[in-house]
Amino acid sequence: NEMNGTSGQPAVKQIGLSQWYTLRNLQRSPIGAVKASALTKTDVIGHCRARKAQGVLPQTCQQDMTYLSGSLKYAGAAWDDCEDISDAAVAAARPFLMKHRLICKSEPRKRRPTQDELDRLVAYFNQPPKKKNKGLIDMVRVTRWQVASGRRISETCRLLWSDWNREEHTMLVRKMKDPRTRDKQKVVALPESAQALLEEWFPLRDPNEPRIFPYNAKSAGAKYTRGKKELGIHGLRLHDSRRECYTRLVENDGYSLEEAILVTGHET
């Protein structure tokens, strides 16, 4: 963080929603009442044990410790009256937490939607809405696009028609997820399946709506979750469509890894 030239205080960098939510939960929990300079490894271990008793997974508790440690490190480095604050208590507790499986790293997901599951989801979302205003989100389009494009749902709901380069088969993606860069944006290549969908929808677009998918990302994700639960599809998330897209590019469409990276937007 850079120093604020007018006050001499560190400029506060905006944190992500996940980090904000986790820190707010820590603030409300018993460990949040402990003075930071008096925090001990016993406090840290007690917090993780309490979280386990609540049914929280070790992977989630690991996130608690990551964000807590980062905040304590930052406070000690940033403010003059916090020089006695460090993440020593978290560091001291970590070997115990790992040995007793109170924290652990997340397992990489391998779940991918099958074609049968995708067909069932599209058929489900094609049904007339049972209640008024239930059809505001076109989940058929969303489901098809997520598999065709491999974009995160938050990125999808920010796409503008003006971001699409129809001739070059590319799309400008805004606010891409990157731990090192805020508000990252990048031009990515569109798979032919995604380009074909845009060609299909372009003549039908609302001229007064600049967004391709004018929906709330969280609402779209929640609607997908409700649909797969009603269909009895287990262990599937909307984000798994991202893995399905990129795997298809390499395994079915013959993309090289270098060509696939042009679609994913990753640096490596």
Side-chain angles (χ1 to χ4, degrees), residues 35-37 76 80-86:
K35 189 176 180 181
S37 59
D80 292 339
D81 58 349
C82 294
E83 291 176 343
D84 59 341
I85 296 175
S86 74

Side-chain angles (χ1 to χ4, degrees), residues 6-21:
T6 56
S7 65
Q9 293 296 317
V12 178
K13 187 176 181 180
Q14 185 178 2
I15 64 176
L17 286 176
S18 177
Q19 185 175 0
W20 180 88
Y21 179 79

Side-chain angles (χ1 to χ4, degrees), residues 4 49 129 133 136 139 167 171 176 178 183 199 204 217 228 239 263:
N4 184 317
R49 280 177 166 163
N133 294 331
L136 292 178
M139 286 302 298
E167 290 70 30
M171 179 72 75
M176 297 179 72
D178 190 324
D183 296 328
E199 294 284 1
L204 307 174
K228 57 120 178 177
H239 192 74
V263 177

Side-chain angles (χ1 to χ4, degrees), residues 97-264:
L97 299 176
M98 294 183 68
K99 180 176 177 62
H100 293 274
R101 292 283 296 176
L102 293 171
I103 62 172
C104 71
K105 292 184 178 180
S106 299
E107 293 286 335
R109 285 184 61 80
K110 298 180 181 179
R111 180 72 158 90
R112 292 165 52 188
T114 65
Q115 189 58 52
D116 176 67
E117 288 171 337
L118 291 172
D119 291 342
R120 290 169 61 199
L121 283 165
V122 168
Y124 172 82
F125 292 131
N126 249 329
Q127 296 175 1
K130 297 177 182 178
K131 296 182 181 179
K132 187 178 180 181
N133 294 331
K134 281 288 184 179
L136 292 178
I137 301 177
D138 190 337
M139 286 302 298
V140 172
R141 282 195 179 189
V142 170
T143 303
R144 294 175 66 195
W145 173 259
Q146 291 306 104
V147 175
S149 70
R151 302 264 50 94
R152 291 181 171 85
I153 185 61
S154 57
E155 295 169 352
T156 289
C157 293
R158 284 193 290 265
L159 296 176
L160 308 178
W161 283 110
S162 58
D163 294 333
W164 174 38
N165 188 320
R166 193 174 187 179
E167 290 70 30
E168 297 292 333
H169 292 205
T170 60
M171 179 72 75
L172 173 64
V173 182
R174 306 169 188 275
K175 295 185 178 180
M176 297 179 72
K177 184 177 180 180
D178 190 324
R180 294 174 296 276
T181 307
R182 294 288 179 181
D183 296 328
K184 176 182 176 180
Q185 59 182 33
K186 191 171 185 177
V187 174
V188 301
L190 287 174
E192 288 306 306
S193 54
Q195 177 76 12
L197 288 178
L198 294 177
E199 294 284 1
E200 175 187 336
W201 298 332
F202 184 72
L204 307 174
R205 73 191 187 284
D206 180 353
N208 298 316
E209 176 53 66
R211 290 179 296 167
I212 301 175
F213 298 91
Y215 314 128
N216 180 284
K218 290 187 180 296
S219 298
K223 198 163 186 178
Y224 187 91
T225 299
R226 286 196 297 271
K228 57 120 178 177
K229 284 185 177 180
E230 288 199 25
L231 292 172
I233 298 174
H234 301 290
L236 185 65
R237 300 176 185 172
L238 181 56
H239 192 74
D240 295 331
S241 297
R242 183 171 165 84
R243 182 181 302 100
E244 175 66 11
C245 170
Y246 301 146
T247 304
R248 285 185 181 187
L249 292 180
V250 176
E251 293 183 352
N252 299 346
D253 298 342
Y255 277 54
S256 67
L257 295 181
E258 291 76 15
E259 290 171 328
I261 285 173
L262 295 178
V263 177
T264 68

Side-chain angles (χ1 to χ4, degrees), residues 41 44 65 69 72-73 86-97:
K41 66 178 181 180
V44 174
M65 294 299 101
S69 177
L72 295 172
K73 281 182 181 178
S86 74
D87 70 328
V90 178
R94 196 173 290 277
F96 179 92
L97 299 176

